[in-house]
Amino acid sequence: MALLFSAPLTSTVTEFDAAQANGVIADPRGLAAPIPGYLEINSAPDGSSALMSRITPADAETYGGIRSEINDAPQANAERWYVWEMFFPDGFQTTDLLTWMQIHDSPDGGDSPVKYPNFEFQTQSGMVFCTVPINCPDETSSNGRFPRQQRAPLITGRWVQCALHANWGTDSNGFLEVYYDGKLLAKEWSRACGYSDAVGPYWKLGLYDFSHAGLTSEARAWYRNAKLYSTGHTAFGVLGVNPQPTSLTQADV
């Protein structure tokens, strides 16, 4: 049981070891503005200091897509808690399908096709939801599916605590639980969540044009208080609340 790292993201970037935006790739550690104008610590709409992620329709592609993300080092195919806070500004709503946090696989050499990431937290048309690989750990399909979950309205104008609790097992020991603003958004137990890669997946925070269709408008979000835990923790221990299920109609695909 351990807190593996804590990255406040309020003065400089720590713990995350790569930054990607507008065709630029940089090491963000110790920097307040790893990629100025796209990934930089500035004032969120409430005046607090946090890491801004910004993407625009005019951005150059980075690794084949429009993105503004920081990445941590790969983690083992093991149990992890990913916890962070984020702020979408008032009025934020887009028809673009945007990913705002993901867990990305670390492909072995020669892997094909490109695999669907282990986990995607996304927003579109004022809702939040998540997607996972359709048949993990099978690597022959790059399609995704919704886990057994609720969709929830996107919260804007204030900080929201988010968390993913997962075990990246390649058999029935795998599981995931997703929390959004103190609510249990998705839960699947006893299913494979990881791939049989030599190196485990890594955590990405920031905005990303998931469909690669081009953006219709600029998007911004702010991130802070990113924490990574290993085994032995409870939702109350890392979130400070006993999560309640959402009350919306279930989307089970």
Side-chain angles (χ1 to χ4, degrees):
M1 179 171 68
L3 173 63
L4 300 180
F5 74 66
S6 177
L9 302 178
T10 55
S11 58
T12 62
V13 177
T14 61
E15 307 300 341
F16 291 82
D17 62 5
Q20 305 162 351
N22 195 34
V24 177
I25 302 166
D27 185 338
R29 289 169 289 189
L31 301 180
I35 304 177
Y38 294 90
L39 283 166
E40 64 180 27
I41 291 172
N42 61 29
S43 293
D46 69 342
S48 61
S49 181
L51 180 70
M52 179 194 71
S53 168
R54 172 178 172 259
I55 53 177
T56 82
D59 288 1
E61 292 187 352
T62 314
Y63 288 123
I66 294 176
R67 67 181 76 237
S68 181
E69 299 175 305
I70 54 172
N71 307 346
D72 83 336
Q75 298 293 319
N77 280 322
E79 183 180 354
R80 292 289 184 267
W81 278 93
Y82 307 84
V83 184
W84 73 104
E85 295 176 275
M86 67 179 309
F87 195 118
F88 281 102
D90 279 330
F92 183 96
Q93 185 173 119
T94 178
T95 57
D96 299 324
L97 176 57
L98 300 182
T99 294
W100 43 273
M101 174 273 193
Q102 61 177 302
I103 306 296
H104 200 288
D105 71 281
S106 300
D108 294 329
D111 275 358
S112 182
V114 174
K115 293 177 287 189
Y116 198 91
N118 295 60
F119 178 85
E120 299 262 353
F121 222 149
Q122 300 179 305
T123 184
Q124 186 176 37
S125 301
M127 302 297 288
V128 296
F129 47 90
C130 49
T131 53
V132 296
I134 196 167
N135 193 26
C136 210
D138 183 356
E139 300 184 7
T140 63
S141 172
S142 61
N143 296 322
R145 67 175 179 85
F146 299 127
R148 186 174 180 84
Q149 66 165 329
Q150 311 284 348
R151 289 173 175 251
L154 178 70
I155 296 171
T156 63
R158 66 173 174 86
W159 287 100
V160 177
Q161 188 180 53
C162 309
L164 168 65
H165 179 208
N167 181 31
W168 304 119
T170 58
D171 53 24
S172 60
N173 289 319
F175 63 81
L176 66 81
E177 299 172 331
V178 186
Y179 302 90
Y180 181 69
D181 195 39
K183 302 291 180 65
L184 183 60
L185 187 70
K187 181 176 181 178
E188 289 190 340
W189 281 77
S190 302
R191 76 157 185 88
C193 291
Y195 294 105
S196 300
D197 293 328
V199 179
Y202 56 97
W203 186 14
K204 297 171 71 73
L205 288 178
L207 300 176
Y208 166 54
D209 172 23
F210 176 79
S211 61
H212 292 205
L215 298 175
T216 61
S217 60
E218 177 180 318
R220 299 187 190 209
W222 283 261
Y223 296 79
R224 71 182 186 189
N225 294 335
K227 296 181 181 181
L228 180 65
Y229 297 86
S230 61
T231 61
H233 297 275
T234 65
F236 185 83
V238 299
L239 303 178
V241 296
N242 287 314
Q244 300 298 314
T246 61
S247 59
L248 301 181
T249 301
Q250 182 165 284
D252 186 7
V253 178

